[in-house]
Every structure is written in C-alpha cells, then in structure tokens.
Amino acid sequence: MEPGGLEWLLVPMQQLVSWGAAGAMVFGGVVPYIPQYRDIRRTQNAEGFSTYVCLVLLVANILRILFWFGRHFESPLLWQSIIMIITMLLMLKLCTEVRVSNELNIKRRSFAAADSKDEEIKAPPKRSYLDFDLNYFWHWSKFTDYVQCVLTFTGVTGYITYLWLDSSLFVETLGFLAVFTEAMLGVPQLYRNYQNRSTEGMSIKMVLMWTSGDTFKTVYFILNQAPFQFSICGLLQVFVDIAILLQVYLYSYYPQKPVSHTAHPASTKAL
C-alpha cells in the first residue's frame, strides 16, 4: 500500500483527537464538581464544601480571561475559563440556598448595604450593614450578593487591565497571578478540613479528580517545557491535593473529634 494511501483515514483521526483534546480541556475542569454538586443537592448539606474554592477559581479565571486580552492564548483555555466561571456560580447558588435553609441565625448578611426594614426589626444591627468584615466576607445570605461581588471585581480589574494593557510587565504579571491563584485552589478545602477536624461532606471523588487532573497538567507543562512558573504552580497544586488526601486518611482512621449528625449543621463553621 502506498504511503499516502492511509492519509484519508489519518487526517480525520487526527482531527477527531484534536477536537477531543480541546473538549477535554474545556469541560474537564468542571467534571470534579459534578459529584460534589450532586452530593450537596442530595443531602441538603453544604458543610463539607468550602465556598472559598469557588472564590479562588472565580478570581483565577477572571484574571485568565483578562490576560487573554494582553496575550491571545489557545481558544479552548479561554472557553475553559468561561465554563468554569458559570460552574462556580452554580455551585455558589446551591451552597447559599442550602446554607440559608439550614441557618439558625436570623441575621442576614449582604455584600452591599441592606435596606430592608423588615430585617432591621428582626435583628437590630450592632454594626454597619456593609459586611466587609473578614469574618463575614464571602458568607452572605443571597446569591445575588456573590454576583455583585464578582461583577465589582471584574469591573475594577478590567478597568486596570485596560489602562495597563500596553505594558508587557503588567500582562505577564497578570498571567502569573492567574496561574498562581489557581494553584491555591485546594488551600480553602485543606483549611476547612483542618478546622472541622473531619472530611465528612467533602466529595472524595472530587479530590481524586483534582489530583489526577493536576498531575496530568503538571507533567504536560514539564514535558513541553512550559514557562517555569507554570511548572512550579502545577507542582504546588499536586502537593496540596496530596495533603487533602492525607487528611482523608488521617481523619478517617484517627478521628480528631466526634462528628455531628444533626439535621441542621452549624453554618457558623462554614468559611
């Protein structure tokens, strides 16, 4: 058979592999959150999932999209960021609804100033309505408050990026911040587990998918001689994933404290 005889088969196969890789890149990042989303929806308990994971991914992917305006990278990576932002907003919506339904404290917290007189009657304010206190940040009672915060962050960083878009130093720094922020993805969950002395309510499947995905991504960076900061941040992600898996082992076989199984988990423990 002539060398060119198989070209009619190889070319479409290569195209399919390319499309498959692009699809995996776009949607692969959201797969780990599907079992976690289903677990929260089924149990109506968001206690084991740190919503700060959503914050980290929202910031990282917003910065990555802004970085694209300074240096156009591959389209699948751009779409990956867009899909991830949508996914994290859906996770936040579910977690907020579940937490508020189980909330024992009638005080409602908001990102912006509250103007509901009914809330004032129920719980007279002891401080300003603006909940920028670190103890209450990212622990609001309505999903719309999270949306307002995300839009505010996007608007401020977008305006700064517009002003400094001609600076290569700023663009490269922006790209590094996006990668480094994503490398901190597992840290909120790591701290949540340490705070609770338990991994109950956390999806083990999600962490295993994190670990396999981050390991594959890091190996890819190293083999393809990606920029140094990409490899370092990838290794950092893998180490954090392994630390969470160690927590699963330690808290399962050597429990640090009795785990509460009450119908209304204490929302004050949530980050």
Side-chain angles (χ1 to χ4, degrees):
M1 183 178 292
E2 296 182 1
L6 293 177
E7 288 185 1
W8 67 272
L9 179 62
L10 292 178
V11 173
M13 288 294 293
Q14 291 176 349
Q15 189 65 47
L16 286 175
V17 171
S18 176
W19 288 345
M25 185 67 68
V26 172
F27 297 102
V30 306
V31 172
Y33 300 96
I34 296 177
Q36 182 71 75
Y37 185 93
R38 294 178 64 183
D39 287 345
I40 294 174
R41 192 175 184 86
R42 175 177 55 84
T43 63
Q44 289 297 297
N45 184 356
E47 181 81 3
F49 178 73
S50 173
T51 53
Y52 272 67
V53 169
C54 300
L55 174 62
V56 170
L57 280 176
L58 284 170
V59 170
N61 285 281
I62 289 171
L63 293 180
R64 186 193 290 184
I65 292 174
L66 294 177
F67 176 57
W68 181 85
F69 288 98
R71 174 186 287 186
H72 294 316
F73 46 77
E74 298 175 345
S75 296
L77 292 178
L78 178 63
W79 281 106
Q80 179 194 42
S81 293
I82 296 173
I83 297 297
M84 183 61 75
I85 289 174
I86 295 173
T87 302
M88 290 302 100
L89 289 176
L90 291 175
M91 286 291 295
L92 275 175
K93 186 175 186 297
L94 176 63
C95 290
T96 303
E97 291 174 350
V98 169
R99 189 181 68 243
V100 171
S101 67
N102 295 328
E103 183 72 70
L104 299 179
N105 184 2
I106 60 175
K107 178 68 173 73
R108 293 292 183 253
R109 307 185 183 105
S110 61
F111 171 69
D115 55 6
S116 172
K117 294 184 178 180
D118 184 53
E119 286 187 6
E120 294 181 24
I121 296 174
K122 292 181 180 179
K126 296 182 179 179
R127 61 184 179 84
S128 171
Y129 281 120
L130 288 176
D131 287 336
F132 289 106
D133 189 310
L134 291 179
N135 293 325
Y136 300 99
F137 179 78
W138 208 250
H139 192 65
W140 301 306
S141 303
K142 294 181 179 179
F143 172 67
T144 53
D145 292 306
Y146 292 95
V147 175
Q148 290 175 16
C149 181
V150 170
L151 291 177
T152 300
F153 175 79
T154 303
V156 172
T157 53
Y159 181 68
I160 295 174
T161 301
Y162 173 76
L163 294 178
W164 292 87
L165 200 58
D166 294 332
S167 171
S168 59
L169 177 61
F170 174 83
V171 172
E172 293 299 325
T173 302
L174 185 65
F176 174 78
L177 288 176
V179 177
F180 181 75
T181 303
E182 187 174 0
M184 295 292 100
L185 170 62
V187 173
Q189 190 66 57
L190 185 71
Y191 178 72
R192 160 62 69 83
N193 297 340
Y194 171 78
Q195 187 183 44
N196 290 349
R197 298 296 195 274
S198 170
T199 57
E200 182 179 4
M202 182 193 72
S203 173
I204 308 300
K205 294 179 182 178
M206 179 187 70
V207 181
L208 289 173
M209 290 179 183
W210 276 358
T211 307
S212 59
D214 292 339
T215 301
F216 173 82
K217 181 174 60 178
T218 303
V219 171
Y220 175 86
F221 288 155
I222 295 174
L223 293 180
N224 289 274
Q225 298 181 341
F228 181 72
Q229 62 266 34
F230 280 70
S231 300
I232 293 297
C233 292
L235 287 172
L236 179 59
Q237 274 187 284
V238 173
F239 288 146
V240 173
D241 295 339
I242 293 174
I244 295 177
L245 291 176
L246 286 175
Q247 285 182 324
V248 173
Y249 172 78
L250 290 174
Y251 295 149
S252 297
Y253 290 92
Y254 306 98
Q256 303 296 306
K257 67 175 183 178
V259 178
S260 174
H261 294 279
T262 56
H264 300 282
S267 62
T268 53
K269 290 170 59 181
L271 286 177

